[in-house]
Amino acid sequence: MLIEGKVAIITGASRGLGYACADRFVREGAKVILADVQDELGEHSADKLRATGGDAQYVRCDVTQKADVQKLIDFAVETHGRVDCAIANAGIVHVSDALELEEEDFDKVIAVNLKGVFLTGQLAARQMIRQEPDENGSKGTIINMSSANAVLAIPEIAPYVISKGGVMQWTKVLGIRLAQEGVRVNAIGPGSIATEMFQNVASDKDKYRAIMSRTPMGRPGEPDEIGKIAVFLASDMSSYITGQTIYPDGGRMGLNYTVPVKEA
Ligand code: NAP
């Protein structure tokens, strides 16, 4: 087990990629605290993990609220004594043409996807640098959920694209700031992964075909394929990596033009 006994907080973990990370972390022996605004689902998800023998709890945390994020970290410290890993995963999408986009919709996406990731990282980092290092000299790891849209653009989801570009840069900023503090900071920038968020975006056949024409591996990723990268980034296996974004995208970012799509 790569992260046995490690304490992880994961935002947006009631479902989707956050839950997939929690599930993989528990299977690797970590203690997880799931945080979300979907309380019923979050409690249910923590129950599911406990039913497998995992150490999992749910805490309500709206990542746009500094006091909520601090409470989440305090809960982890009161319960387990420290925070070894913080996964800033909570994110939302708003679909609108860039020229029609309302100011409040822009603000809402930026608040969750960018300010929320900033608050989670800043407050987790303050806790981590106060902690004793583990046997490998690590005081903690921070993992931000970015997107292939950090570097590729879709004009119908402008604030999402902008927020993920910001997350990529924040990952560098915090990674460099903490490079000599025993805390590593990295990001995961998924392509299309089969979660509810993806099903909503790819709900019609033409959209799905368009996405697959930009996906050389010819399939969406599985949520656990993100969870496994999170384990790698949280573990000593990635001990010399900081400030980086890893892109699990089925080959999309290497592709110019499109690839043929197999009929479903
Ligand atoms: P998801 O299934 O929609 O799950 C996200 C969870 O975060 C939901 O439970 C959501 O609750 C919650 N959330 C929303 N606002 C929050 C807030 N203010 N505080 C705390 N939690 C909040 O999404 P997902 O597909 O797992 O995506 C997770 C992350 O991966 C996001 O950052 C997303 O941008 C990124 N990502 C996903 C894909 C993909 O293909 N799925 C690709 C690239 C990047 P609500 O239901 O109330 O919104």
Side-chain angles (χ1 to χ4, degrees):
M1 286 194 191
L2 287 172
I3 50 172
E4 192 161 19
K6 298 283 180 209
V7 179
I9 57 170
I10 307 173
T11 68
S14 287
R15 63 180 192 190
L17 299 187
Y19 178 74
C21 290
D23 179 48
R24 197 25 99 163
F25 268 50
V26 158
R27 285 191 272 152
E28 292 290 337
K31 301 166 188 173
V32 298
I33 296 165
L34 288 71
D36 207 292
V37 289
Q38 294 289 341
D39 297 336
E40 207 175 311
L41 194 57
E43 294 288 2
H44 176 69
S45 296
D47 282 349
K48 262 201 307 190
L49 294 176
R50 279 196 297 273
T52 67
D55 189 329
Q57 278 155 297
Y58 173 76
V59 169
R60 180 183 176 83
C61 171
D62 176 347
V63 296
T64 67
Q65 304 301 312
K66 189 174 182 179
D68 275 19
V69 179
Q70 189 59 57
K71 268 192 225 156
L72 167 65
I73 289 161
D74 292 347
F75 178 83
V77 174
E78 279 154 24
T79 310
H80 298 298
R82 58 193 282 127
V83 179
D84 293 297
C85 179
I87 305 184
N89 164 79
I92 58 171
V93 185
H94 178 82
V95 181
S96 167
D97 178 77
L99 302 189
E100 303 298 327
L101 181 65
E102 299 288 346
E103 187 180 350
E104 53 269 31
D105 293 323
F106 179 88
D107 288 347
K108 209 167 150 194
V109 175
I110 297 296
V112 178
N113 295 14
L114 188 53
K115 183 180 158 188
V117 170
F118 161 74
L119 288 173
T120 306
Q122 186 192 57
L123 298 180
R126 287 181 186 168
Q127 167 58 32
M128 286 171 180
I129 60 177
R130 286 199 296 266
Q131 300 176 166
E132 286 300 312
D134 69 8
E135 64 282 7
N136 297 309
S138 169
K139 290 186 174 180
T141 55
I142 295 168
I143 301 169
N144 299 324
M145 203 57 77
S146 179
S147 165
N149 286 305
V151 285
L152 303 174
I154 302 174
E156 291 80 21
I157 52 170
Y160 184 85
V161 170
I162 294 165
S163 70
K164 296 301 183 179
V167 168
M168 175 183 66
Q169 288 295 71
W170 167 238
T171 301
K172 292 179 195 169
V173 167
L174 196 60
I176 295 164
R177 170 62 182 81
L178 299 174
Q180 295 195 23
E181 302 270 13
V183 179
R184 293 183 299 105
V185 186
N186 290 292
I188 304 174
S192 299
I193 312 296
T195 66
E196 220 162 295
M197 184 182 269
F198 173 72
Q199 312 298 357
N200 294 338
V201 174
S203 50
D204 74 79
K205 225 176 159 191
D206 287 346
K207 202 80 176 254
Y208 183 80
R209 281 183 63 84
I211 293 170
M212 284 307 115
S213 77
R214 294 280 303 137
T215 308
M217 287 181 73
R219 63 171 179 86
E222 291 302 322
D224 188 48
E225 292 180 293
I226 305 305
K228 287 189 285 191
I229 297 169
V231 169
F232 167 70
L233 291 174
S235 79
D236 192 55
M237 297 293 277
S238 57
S239 53
Y240 198 52
I241 303 178
T242 200
Q244 303 258 4
T245 301
I246 294 178
Y247 294 101
D249 66 352
R252 180 176 304 166
M253 283 172 54
L255 176 69
N256 195 352
Y257 301 140
T258 58
V259 291
V261 180
K262 281 190 222 130
E263 283 311 321

